[in-house]
Amino acid sequence: MALSLAISPCPNDTFVFHALVHGLVPGAPAVDVTYADVDVTNTAAERGAYDLVKVSYAALPWLLDDYHLLPCGGALGRGCGPLVLTRDARAGDADLTGATVAVPGDRTTAYLLFRLWSAQRPPARIEVVPFHEIMPGVAAGRYDAGLVIHEARFTYPRHGLTALVDLGEWWEADTGLPIPLGAILARKGAVDPAEATGWIRDSVRRAWADPAGTDEYVLAHAQEMERDVVDRHIALYVNEFTAELGAEGQAAVDALLGRASAAGLTPQISSSRATAWTS
């Protein structure tokens, strides 16, 4: 039977999983892939819907009873954090008290970081909005601010918007650690984590060895992004942590979930449960 896989249609995910999806990884099973925004996969993973699934690191406290955290394939790094965007009229006013803020999901890492950042001055209202509607909504005045991720880092000026805060810069300045955004999980009892780790690492390395070979697949799912934006997106989000989370990456995960549970924003979990599978 085919392995069920759920990833986003974003260029970093399609680049990383190109070889696995297309049967180019020796010894890997056939893959039945679903493409969905991370807010959708976070919810689906709670139902155990997929064998391999891309989720937000912020969602791990609700998922680790049923899934192994894999040490590869995810999105973690520096200079790649979510942005809080506003119209120019509000530029420089970091106090969002009384504001309505659009966010891409209530269990996304972006929203968790936003809640940590705004803890002393929380906004009046949060609205969960499909990602592609956030920037137009802020530009049109439907929301006072919007929380965005991924390619929006490169395209928000086109909407006449200003970055109020880069939550990645805030996180790195406060912790000295990279920012953990998206994780790959393997469902317990359905897929061997050692084998899955090997397949994904092989897929990443094949993409790096022949990036042009991924172009047709990546661009087909890139939601009308220009080629330059696609290339910048991949360069930013597919990095050394994609192949190996490592000690620094694991420390970032521990810091994020530790701060979140201490603030009462997520359930408390032991560090051993949130440690990526290694043996």
Side-chain angles (χ1 to χ4, degrees):
M1 293 180 63
L3 188 78
S4 60
L5 167 70
I7 56 175
S8 82
C10 292
N12 60 305
D13 281 357
T14 50
F15 181 84
V16 166
F17 286 92
H18 169 265
L20 183 60
V21 168
H22 289 84
L24 302 177
V25 175
V31 170
D32 180 11
V33 62
T34 297
Y35 304 96
D37 288 342
V38 72
D39 189 46
V40 174
T41 60
N42 286 344
T43 301
E46 284 196 77
R47 305 191 305 268
Y50 300 104
D51 300 324
L52 289 175
V53 59
K54 172 77 172 287
V55 300
S56 301
Y57 272 107
L60 292 190
W62 290 274
L63 301 175
L64 292 179
D65 284 342
D66 299 316
Y67 285 89
H68 295 286
L69 171 61
L70 298 186
C72 59
L76 187 148
R78 298 181 183 277
C80 60
L83 303 178
V84 179
L85 302 180
T86 65
R87 290 175 294 173
D88 289 340
R90 197 178 178 109
D93 181 9
D95 187 351
L96 293 176
T97 304
T100 297
V101 180
V103 305
D106 58 0
R107 288 189 181 173
T108 61
T109 304
Y111 183 45
L112 179 56
L113 286 168
F114 176 81
R115 294 176 77 189
L116 291 169
W117 171 76
S118 64
Q120 301 305 313
R121 293 180 294 180
R125 185 179 180 191
I126 295 293
E127 290 194 24
V128 176
V129 176
F131 174 69
H132 67 277
E133 297 179 11
I134 293 178
M135 289 191 292
V138 176
R142 290 193 294 275
Y143 316 108
D144 299 304
L147 180 64
V148 300
I149 54 176
H150 294 326
E151 68 275 5
R153 292 187 63 87
F154 313 118
T155 61
Y156 72 86
R158 302 175 189 175
H159 295 265
L161 302 179
T162 298
L164 180 68
V165 63
D166 183 323
L167 293 176
E169 290 182 356
W170 168 77
W171 170 262
E172 291 174 44
D174 197 47
T175 67
L177 295 167
I179 180 171
L181 295 168
I184 303 298
L185 305 184
R187 188 159 61 93
K188 295 178 180 178
V191 57
D192 181 87
E195 292 183 345
T197 297
W199 302 330
I200 295 169
R201 283 189 175 141
D202 193 336
S203 191
V204 174
R205 289 165 182 157
R206 287 173 184 273
W208 277 333
D210 182 22
T214 72
D215 283 351
E216 182 177 356
Y217 175 58
V218 169
L219 292 172
H221 293 278
Q223 301 176 341
E224 301 182 358
M225 290 185 213
E226 299 99 340
R227 179 56 186 266
D228 176 63
V229 173
V230 169
D231 290 344
R232 293 166 69 191
H233 184 116
I234 293 170
L236 184 60
Y237 292 102
V238 185
N239 52 47
E240 67 272 20
F241 295 108
T242 310
E244 177 54 62
L245 185 64
E248 187 178 31
Q250 186 65 59
V253 176
D254 292 342
L256 177 69
L257 298 183
R259 290 187 176 207
S261 63
L265 302 179
T266 64
Q268 186 173 11
I269 57 174
S270 67
S271 59
S272 62
R273 288 184 64 221
T275 298
W277 182 91
T278 56
S279 61

